[in-house]
């Protein structure tokens, strides 16, 4: 039951930052969610590989100084994506980031 509008008016209404192009970071489809979870594991592997490379170059004198902080950031982000964000997602929401219907629509791809 929505009244049709012109593309110009539509773009005027949706030029706001909350209406953004979908990426793996903000999409709620299964493929992006799964890709995201694999990316978290890869990030952990990269941090550990960097630590090992630094230790090797320094003859085990020191490793990556921010390794724990980096791993904590990855864990925190993954926990947020797996938990609290799902409580915000709704089929119909006035907030574009939380609206599943908007995020999965063709208009979000352009």
């Amino acid at each position: 039951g929505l009244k049709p509008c012109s593309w110009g008016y539509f773009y005027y209404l949706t030029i706001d930052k909350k209406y953004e192009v979908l990426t793996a970071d903000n999409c709620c489809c299964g493929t992006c969610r799964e890709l995201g979870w694999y990316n978290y594991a890869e990030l952990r592997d990269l941090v550990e590989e960097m630590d090992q490379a630094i230790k090797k170059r320094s003859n085990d004198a020191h490793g990556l100084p921010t390794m724990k902080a980096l791993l904590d950031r990855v864990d925190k982000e993954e926990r947020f994506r797996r938990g609290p964000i799902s409580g915000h997602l709704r089929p119909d929401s006035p907030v574009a980031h939380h609206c599943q219907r908007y995020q999965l629509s063709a208009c979000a791809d352009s």
Side-chain angles (χ1 to χ4, degrees):
L2 294 176
K3 187 176 181 180
C5 68
S6 69
W7 281 110
Y9 185 66
F10 173 78
Y11 288 131
Y12 168 75
L13 292 175
T14 58
I15 197 84
D16 193 330
K17 192 175 180 182
K18 66 183 177 182
Y19 295 97
E20 62 186 352
V21 176
L22 286 178
T23 66
D25 294 326
N26 63 11
C27 183
C28 60
C29 75
T31 303
C32 290
R33 282 195 319 263
E34 289 302 314
L35 176 64
W37 306 147
Y38 294 133
N39 285 340
Y40 293 123
E42 287 179 21
L43 278 173
R44 285 187 197 93
D45 290 344
L46 284 172
V47 170
E48 290 172 10
E49 285 176 25
M50 287 181 358
D51 180 60
Q52 292 301 317
I54 291 171
K55 284 180 180 177
K56 184 177 180 180
R57 297 281 292 185
S58 67
N59 293 322
D60 290 330
H62 60 276
L64 182 63
T66 58
M67 180 175 171
K68 181 171 176 13
L70 289 171
L71 290 174
D72 288 345
R73 285 175 61 189
V74 172
D75 292 341
K76 182 180 175 183
E77 178 66 19
E78 183 178 23
R79 279 193 308 273
F80 174 72
R81 295 289 173 184
R82 286 187 184 263
I85 195 170
S86 62
H88 296 284
L89 299 177
R90 301 277 182 266
D92 292 314
S93 175
V95 179
H97 282 68
H98 301 164
C99 180
Q100 292 171 321
R101 191 166 288 154
Y102 172 76
Q103 289 186 348
L104 296 174
S105 69
C107 69
D109 295 334
S110 57

